[in-house]
């Protein structure tokens, strides 16, 4: 990827949800909500504290994460729709 996030920012690719419900009903694109689950594509080096020391990031590229519904900024990099968000917008890493 030709993009490297700065500080405590993370680049995320949304993981699309199923197009059918458990009962077999097909959900049209216009009725779907944007997924709140994603895969970390790239991670910045981390923020700095008041003393100038780097704070290590808790997520790594390849992690599956959950994030808030309105988190991040949508961008298009190499024709792919991605999100850039701060690490604090991430609610957790899925095991």
């Amino acid at each position: 990827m030709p993009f490297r996030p700065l500080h405590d920012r993370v680049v995320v690719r949304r993981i699309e949800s199923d197009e059918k419900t458990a009962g077999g009903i097909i959900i049209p694109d216009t009725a779907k909500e944007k997924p709140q689950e994603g895969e970390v594509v790239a991670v910045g080096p981390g923020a700095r504290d008041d003393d100038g020391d780097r704070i290590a990031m808790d997520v790594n590229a390849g992690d599956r994460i959950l994030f808030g519904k309105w988190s991040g900024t949508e961008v298009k990099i190499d024709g792919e729709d991605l999100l850039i968000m701060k690490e604090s917008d991430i609610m957790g890493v899925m095991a």
Side-chain angles (χ1 to χ4, degrees), residues 49-82:
D49 62 13
D50 293 335
D51 297 327
D53 297 326
R54 186 137 344 245
I55 301 170
M57 299 286 278
D58 290 328
V59 295
N60 298 308
D63 287 348
R64 285 179 66 116
I65 60 166
L66 291 177
F67 51 88
K69 186 179 256 186
W70 308 110
S71 298
T73 302
E74 294 181 357
V75 296
K76 189 170 267 203
I77 300 173
D78 288 341
E80 184 177 13
D81 291 326
L82 299 169

Side-chain angles (χ1 to χ4, degrees), residues 10 40 59 65-67 85-93:
V10 178
V40 176
V59 295
I65 60 166
L66 291 177
F67 51 88
M85 65 182 68
K86 288 191 159 246
E87 186 183 33
S88 59
D89 291 338
I90 296 172
M91 290 189 259
V93 178

Side-chain angles (χ1 to χ4, degrees), residues 4-25:
R4 182 178 54 95
L6 299 176
H7 307 294
D8 63 340
R9 289 186 173 72
V10 178
V11 179
V12 176
R13 176 185 302 119
R14 286 185 193 266
I15 296 175
E16 295 299 323
S17 58
D18 293 335
E19 295 182 9
K20 286 185 181 180
T21 65
I25 298 171

Side-chain angles (χ1 to χ4, degrees), residues 29-51:
D29 288 338
T30 55
K32 278 193 224 176
E33 288 192 23
K34 292 186 178 179
Q36 297 174 337
E37 185 177 335
E39 178 186 357
V40 176
V41 176
V43 177
R48 293 196 180 268
D49 62 13
D50 293 335
D51 297 327

